[in-house]
Amino acid sequence: LKKDFKSKIKAEVLNGIHDTSGSYLAYSKYNKLRNCIFVNTGTYFVISKKEKFRSKIQKDFYYNYGANNKLYLCKRIDAGLTYQKYNPKMINFSTQNNLNLAKKFYRNLKKKKIEKLKIITNKNQINDYMKLNFLIAFKLSSEIKKFKKNKKLIIDGIFAKNDIFNYFVKKLINFDVYIINNSFINCIGASTFFNKKQLKLNFKNL
């Protein structure tokens, strides 16, 4: 770009990094969190795992070359859009009592399959909320299982605060699941370009 503009226009060209790539930088500082499968949650979920390059990968997978100079195999799913579609008011049901109801819901769910979702408009629709979160967790777990075998999973972003969703994910995959409580983990990772101090990540193992 500098060369293209060199004739008459003075332009300052700045570099930035994608939010997913920023999170890689944060996790690479922690030995316990290295070589995990990462799930960055938001409007879209991005599933990533550090791998060596392969010329043939599954359909709809792609490679992301992270800001930490590592290669990641990735898959993106529109789980956040599904959540917004069926919970347009973004009603939050995550309480300890409702988490207990989620456990009961999971035990009673036949064939672990949801046939139909309903749009949530009020807090009386706790069962519909359970169905929505289970469906998203099921969709995520199905995609995670397509990656090479791994026993550690990290969830960050807005859905890291959704205890019901996290419970269903843990039940559907036989992994150690780590929940990152830091907000803006991507910004924390990006800050390592300028701040060499040890990062302080707040995470819990489900």
PDB file of all heavy atoms in Angstrom, residues 14 27 46 88:
ATOM      1  N   LEU A  14      -1.422   1.267   9.087  1.00  0.00           N
ATOM      2  CA  LEU A  14      -1.340   0.633  10.403  1.00  0.00           C
ATOM      3  C   LEU A  14      -1.749  -0.825  10.295  1.00  0.00           C
ATOM      4  O   LEU A  14      -2.536  -1.201   9.445  1.00  0.00           O
ATOM      5  CB  LEU A  14      -2.248   1.357  11.399  1.00  0.00           C
ATOM      6  CG  LEU A  14      -2.005   2.862  11.574  1.00  0.00           C
ATOM      7  CD1 LEU A  14      -3.049   3.450  12.519  1.00  0.00           C
ATOM      8  CD2 LEU A  14      -0.602   3.126  12.090  1.00  0.00           C
ATOM      9  N   TYR A  27      -3.359 -16.930  25.206  1.00  0.00           N
ATOM     10  CA  TYR A  27      -3.275 -18.311  25.667  1.00  0.00           C
ATOM     11  C   TYR A  27      -1.876 -18.891  25.517  1.00  0.00           C
ATOM     12  O   TYR A  27      -1.485 -19.793  26.264  1.00  0.00           O
ATOM     13  CB  TYR A  27      -4.283 -19.177  24.910  1.00  0.00           C
ATOM     14  CG  TYR A  27      -5.715 -18.738  25.100  1.00  0.00           C
ATOM     15  CD1 TYR A  27      -6.602 -18.699  24.044  1.00  0.00           C
ATOM     16  CD2 TYR A  27      -6.167 -18.332  26.354  1.00  0.00           C
ATOM     17  CE1 TYR A  27      -7.912 -18.283  24.216  1.00  0.00           C
ATOM     18  CE2 TYR A  27      -7.469 -17.911  26.536  1.00  0.00           C
ATOM     19  CZ  TYR A  27      -8.338 -17.887  25.472  1.00  0.00           C
ATOM     20  OH  TYR A  27      -9.628 -17.466  25.656  1.00  0.00           O
ATOM     21  N   VAL A  46     -15.845 -19.293  16.586  1.00  0.00           N
ATOM     22  CA  VAL A  46     -14.680 -19.753  15.835  1.00  0.00           C
ATOM     23  C   VAL A  46     -13.966 -20.812  16.667  1.00  0.00           C
ATOM     24  O   VAL A  46     -13.501 -20.532  17.777  1.00  0.00           O
ATOM     25  CB  VAL A  46     -13.716 -18.606  15.497  1.00  0.00           C
ATOM     26  CG1 VAL A  46     -12.501 -19.138  14.733  1.00  0.00           C
ATOM     27  CG2 VAL A  46     -14.421 -17.532  14.666  1.00  0.00           C
ATOM     28  N   PRO A  88     -34.396 -12.916  21.001  1.00  0.00           N
ATOM     29  CA  PRO A  88     -34.133 -11.555  20.497  1.00  0.00           C
ATOM     30  C   PRO A  88     -33.991 -10.507  21.593  1.00  0.00           C
ATOM     31  O   PRO A  88     -33.315  -9.503  21.402  1.00  0.00           O
ATOM     32  CB  PRO A  88     -35.323 -11.269  19.582  1.00  0.00           C
ATOM     33  CG  PRO A  88     -36.406 -12.183  20.061  1.00  0.00           C
ATOM     34  CD  PRO A  88     -35.703 -13.418  20.527  1.00  0.00           C
TER      35      PRO A  88
END
